[in-house]
Amino acid sequence: MSARGRFFVRGLMANQARWRKGLFGTWLNSVVTIATVVLLAAIVPPFVRWAVLDATWVGTAADCKAGTGACWAFIGAKLNFILYAFYPPPLHWRPVLVTLMLGGLLLLTAHPRAWRAATLLLWVLVPIASWLLLAGTVVGPTVPSNQWGGIPITLLVAMVCFSLAIPIAILLALARQSSMGGLRTLAIVFIEVMRGTPMVAILYVAMLILPMMIPGGQLIDKLGRAMILITLFWSAYVAEVVRAGLQAIPAGQYEAARALGLGYWRIMRFVVLPQALRLVIPALVNLAIGFLLATSLLATIGVFDLLNAAKTAAIDPNWLGFYDEAYLVAASIYFAICVIGSRYSLWLEQRLRQPR
Amino acid sequence: MTIKSRRHSATSTTLLRVTTGALLALALVAAPAATQAGEDLDAIVARGVIKVGVGSQPGFFAPDENGVWKGFFIDFGRALAVTVFNDPEKVEFTSSSPQQRLPALQAGEFDILLSGVTQTISRSFQLGFHFGPTIFYDGQGLLVRKDIGVTSGADLDGATIGVQSGTTGELNIADFFRKNGKTFTPVTIEDTNEFLAALESGRVDAITQDASDLGIKQTQLANPEDYILLPERLSKEPLAPAIRHGDDRWLEIVNWTVWATIEAEELGITQANVDDFLTSEDPLVQRFLGTDTALGEAIGLDPKFAYNIIKAVGNYGEIFERNVGKDSIFKWDRGFNSLWTDGGLLYAPAWR
């Protein structure tokens, strides 16, 4: 056996020992392991039979009704609707491009090496370009925003609102710590009111009350109104996270900076914020994942995000009642995004913890 | 001055500013609200598209594979677009949930609700809505297993019936049995999807919900032909288009658009044969289709608006059969939704 092969086997055996210890090391571990295996044995075979063996892969709703398994033919016929909702099919390249642009921007930003001013500029340009592309403002035909939907809307709302919420949140967090009483009170009231309100209520305000409050409020479309209020809503949560970062900076640093003759804004910009924000990045990533999932609440005001589009796909009389398949597809997409997000968050946390 | 008192004065200055700002905002709100009334139709024409609030229910309103809205109520929305713009595409459907569709209409988010709103007296008076003609007469029904040998609700003595908890349906069914002097055992079911399982497993002999919901549920049963939707209706659920108070002409357009589809069916005019009727000698047909233009000119509509509607979406019967009737997977009977001449409730006023 080659040296390399021996090494591999030894590694495997060491792993084996670790596994045995983990699974059956103690009395409690054994019980948990056996219970899990029994549970999986009860769930997995019927699921595999439903999802794979008995499934109908091509055909019509009638073929699916005749079978007993999952109806993947339904997903085949409806995938475009689930992903892009009411966007006109001949123009589907637009939501595809927007999804790629937004996804690409996320991937690019993921690496700390990309954290520079140029990336910040991209975060301004890409969402604007996405919006213009979806609307067809520059190159026609125009598509009204009530026809947008599916995955691009989920990404666009989550990314635009979260990225706009961060600068607002930093100002709010600073205001909350400010020595100016009026400013501090306003910040506290705003943050606490927003955090004390459910997001659904905020969306109802955007849909129903905002148009009556602002003259010409009807002119800003529903999606735009919702995004403005979601941004403000999220900024309150982000502000509290940023405040935690600010409070973690020792007072000695403020004093030292002041002793060097720096003014308030320069202290914040060059001394406090760079450290405070770095501290709270993992917490922000967690918050972002939660917010991404929260975008499914947009369904309550009739915006066709990914989840709503999936649900609606199954009420077409031609494909009536395949809710399980529709929800499974939507759940897989959300799950994939969130698993990537949470693994990334762990990786980032470790990387940032390394001494610099 | 101590630090504390300086802070205090800063707070009161801010409060003053906030109050002034709020008052200013209120003043700005009040002004346009007063002039907006009565101009719904003007707004529609200026915008070039009708904003319609719909629900999401198979057969009534559901998007197809290409994201195009299809359904019974959708076709009436297209008919409206034909009356106003002579173009069935100039209409924008937005799905909204039952909880928010009425406030959304009040807030001006929609020009009209075609979402299967039940016309009730409190909605007319308290919420300030006008209702167009009822386009679907719904009502609470009973879906029964055939093997218990029952053909009318009065025979259901001692039956076990599945009802949705916390709905008016629960009260209606109790009233119904008390009125008939019969007894029943209610089984309250929380989740609407559980109804089918309870019926198929024989846990209940019958389930009760709105007849349209039951009609959809029946198609999803393993053997739909083993069940029967009884003819009784335990409640009145007239589903009608709803608009805000304040624009009478818009209301009349809604009314006569619906009536045009009903009148066409009564006259035997269909999407396929409408052109043959253009040469008709019947003065009523001539007024209806606008070959005699005097009526249309007098009322200020396109004299051929009814012709255009029938050409674009068909008459009431065609709309019904295509979406929920015998040409659909639901195979609903017309029931109350038949012409008055066939014993139903559909009746269009006079075309003169």
Side-chain angles (χ1 to χ4, degrees):
Chain A
M1 196 183 276
S2 71
R4 193 174 161 177
R6 260 203 306 277
F7 177 75
F8 181 73
V9 169
R10 202 182 310 144
L12 203 67
M13 277 164 68
N15 258 346
Q16 228 172 28
R18 216 181 67 196
W19 277 94
R20 198 178 308 131
K21 188 158 170 257
L23 294 176
F24 299 103
T26 67
W27 170 85
L28 188 66
N29 282 10
S30 306
V31 172
V32 170
T33 305
I34 292 167
T36 311
V37 168
V38 170
L39 197 67
L40 286 179
I43 294 172
V44 172
F47 179 78
V48 170
R49 202 177 311 129
W50 176 81
V52 182
L53 302 179
D54 291 349
T56 309
W57 297 90
V58 285
T60 64
D63 300 333
C64 285
K65 283 263 155 64
T68 54
C71 182
W72 300 123
F74 157 75
I75 298 299
K78 286 292 205 172
L79 190 62
N80 274 341
F81 184 81
I82 294 173
L83 292 180
Y84 314 120
F86 290 99
Y87 213 86
L91 299 172
H92 269 173
W93 60 271
R94 287 189 192 167
V96 172
L97 194 59
V98 165
T99 309
L100 289 178
M101 283 192 330
L102 293 173
L105 183 59
L106 275 182
L107 284 182
L108 175 76
T109 316
H111 205 278
R113 240 179 303 169
W115 297 351
R116 56 183 79 192
T119 314
L120 215 55
L121 189 67
L122 276 182
W123 273 88
V124 176
L125 292 180
V126 170
I128 292 175
S130 301
W131 187 283
L132 294 179
L133 189 61
L134 284 177
T137 318
V138 183
V139 188
T142 56
V143 177
S145 74
N146 75 325
Q147 290 185 22
W148 308 1
I151 194 101
I153 282 295
T154 296
L155 283 179
L156 191 69
V157 171
M159 289 172 66
V160 168
C161 294
F162 193 68
S163 60
L164 288 178
I166 289 175
I168 299 174
I170 292 174
L171 293 179
L172 276 173
L174 291 178
R176 190 169 184 163
Q177 298 226 308
S178 156
S179 57
M180 288 182 267
L183 196 61
R184 195 178 59 227
T185 313
L186 269 184
I188 291 175
V189 167
F190 177 83
I191 291 173
E192 294 307 327
V193 166
M194 281 297 178
R195 295 206 319 152
T197 315
M199 186 164 155
V200 172
I202 294 289
L203 289 173
Y204 279 166
V205 169
M207 162 109 176
L208 304 174
I209 300 179
L210 213 56
M212 292 195 273
M213 269 167 48
I214 308 173
Q218 293 292 333
L219 299 178
I220 316 174
D221 68 24
K222 187 173 68 182
L223 186 65
R225 295 199 304 265
M227 285 172 72
I228 291 169
L229 281 198
I230 290 174
T231 303
L232 295 177
F233 180 73
W234 287 357
S235 70
Y237 284 83
V238 178
E240 289 297 274
V241 171
V242 173
R243 182 169 70 112
L246 290 177
Q247 284 174 340
I249 306 298
Q253 296 215 12
Y254 290 88
E255 286 155 14
R258 201 167 303 141
L260 286 174
L262 295 181
Y264 176 81
W265 288 110
R266 302 180 96 185
I267 294 177
M268 287 305 159
R269 199 178 143 202
F270 295 116
V271 180
V272 177
L273 280 177
Q275 300 183 72
L277 289 181
R278 191 173 279 269
L279 280 174
V280 297
I281 281 172
L284 286 179
V285 175
N286 269 334
L287 209 53
I289 294 172
F291 286 160
L292 182 87
L293 295 180
T295 54
S296 57
L297 289 174
L298 282 169
T300 57
I301 60 163
V303 172
F304 280 80
D305 73 309
L306 179 60
L307 187 63
N308 198 12
K311 189 178 68 184
T312 309
I315 64 163
D316 179 352
N318 293 331
W319 295 97
L320 186 56
F322 297 110
Y323 293 104
D324 298 344
E325 291 84 347
Y327 281 131
L328 203 59
V329 166
S332 315
I333 295 174
Y334 281 119
F335 183 72
I337 295 175
C338 292
V339 163
I340 294 170
S342 66
R343 300 309 299 180
Y344 166 68
S345 166
L346 277 178
W347 173 81
L348 193 64
E349 210 168 328
Q350 270 164 10
R351 194 186 150 95
L352 293 179
R353 207 181 286 150
Q354 284 161 9
R356 292 176 301 277
Chain B
M1 196 190 259
T2 64
I3 291 177
K4 201 172 177 187
S5 68
R6 201 165 62 223
R7 259 189 205 161
H8 178 77
S9 71
T11 315
S12 46
T13 321
T14 321
L15 268 178
L16 188 70
R17 271 191 209 146
V18 170
T19 323
T20 324
L23 284 175
L24 200 67
L26 266 179
L28 285 169
V29 178
T35 52
Q36 214 172 15
E39 292 177 350
D40 292 336
L41 188 59
D42 290 348
I44 291 169
V45 172
R47 195 191 307 129
V49 65
I50 306 175
K51 287 183 169 181
V52 179
V54 298
S56 54
Q57 186 175 339
F60 279 174
F61 6 63
D64 69 2
E65 281 93 341
N66 297 320
V68 177
W69 283 100
K70 293 278 168 68
F72 179 80
F73 282 92
I74 298 299
D75 282 346
F76 284 96
R78 298 202 187 282
L80 270 174
V82 172
T83 308
V84 179
F85 297 112
N86 193 15
D87 182 349
E89 300 302 320
K90 290 197 170 170
V91 56
E92 198 178 279
F93 297 105
T94 308
S95 168
S96 77
S97 70
Q99 297 85 5
Q100 55 136 338
R101 60 177 63 134
L102 298 177
L105 177 64
Q106 280 177 322
E109 188 67 29
F110 307 126
D111 301 314
I112 183 169
L113 275 184
L114 281 169
S115 58
V117 187
T118 302
Q119 180 173 10
T120 67
I121 187 167
S122 58
R123 283 173 180 164
S124 295
F125 281 100
Q126 290 177 316
L127 298 184
F129 293 148
H130 279 310
F131 287 89
T134 299
I135 54 179
F136 192 91
Y137 289 92
D138 208 347
Q140 192 178 338
L142 283 159
L143 185 65
V144 182
R145 301 164 60 89
K146 268 189 187 159
D147 57 15
I148 64 168
V150 163
T151 51
S152 99
D155 304 339
L156 272 174
D157 202 6
T160 308
I161 298 176
V163 296
Q164 192 150 19
S165 54
T167 62
T168 51
E170 208 175 344
L171 309 173
N172 291 335
I173 187 87
D175 287 354
F176 178 76
F177 276 90
R178 195 173 310 137
K179 198 173 67 186
N180 290 334
K182 303 278 165 57
T183 60
F184 78 109
T185 312
V187 175
T188 47
I189 297 173
E190 195 71 48
D191 182 5
T192 169
N193 293 318
E194 289 292 307
F195 273 85
L196 294 180
L199 193 60
E200 285 189 315
S201 67
R203 204 173 126 220
V204 297
D205 303 317
I207 56 175
T208 182
Q209 268 189 322
D210 278 0
S212 59
D213 288 332
L214 291 177
I216 294 162
K217 286 209 163 68
Q218 190 175 5
T219 64
Q220 292 183 276
L221 288 161
N223 299 305
E225 62 280 2
D226 291 349
Y227 304 86
I228 179 172
L229 188 57
L230 295 183
E232 283 90 356
R233 291 295 174 266
L234 278 51
S235 68
K236 286 183 189 168
E237 309 284 346
L239 309 184
I243 63 170
R244 287 180 298 279
H245 281 174
D247 193 330
D248 298 345
R249 190 164 172 80
W250 176 223
L251 176 65
E252 293 307 341
I253 285 179
V254 174
N255 285 340
W256 290 91
T257 299
V258 175
W259 285 328
T261 65
I262 296 173
E263 182 73 10
E265 186 180 8
E266 192 175 339
L267 292 170
I269 303 173
T270 66
Q271 200 168 8
N273 70 15
V274 61
D275 283 318
D276 303 339
F277 277 85
L278 287 177
T279 53
S280 169
E281 293 297 320
D282 182 347
L284 173 56
V285 172
Q286 287 182 344
R287 283 196 300 275
F288 180 70
L289 292 180
T291 39
D292 174 0
T293 57
L295 181 64
E297 281 159 6
I299 61 176
L301 288 179
D302 182 346
K304 300 192 75 168
F305 84 94
Y307 167 86
N308 294 333
I309 289 172
I310 307 310
K311 193 82 182 162
V313 298
N315 68 32
Y316 184 97
E318 291 176 290
I319 295 172
F320 187 98
E321 302 295 2
R322 177 168 65 228
N323 291 300
V324 292
K326 60 174 185 277
D327 300 331
S328 74
I329 61 164
F330 304 110
K331 317 270 182 245
W332 294 353
D333 289 330
R334 294 285 294 271
F336 291 132
N337 302 298
S338 318
L339 293 176
W340 63 290
T341 47
D342 299 334
L345 293 171
L346 301 179
Y347 183 101
W351 226 269
R352 73 163 61 245

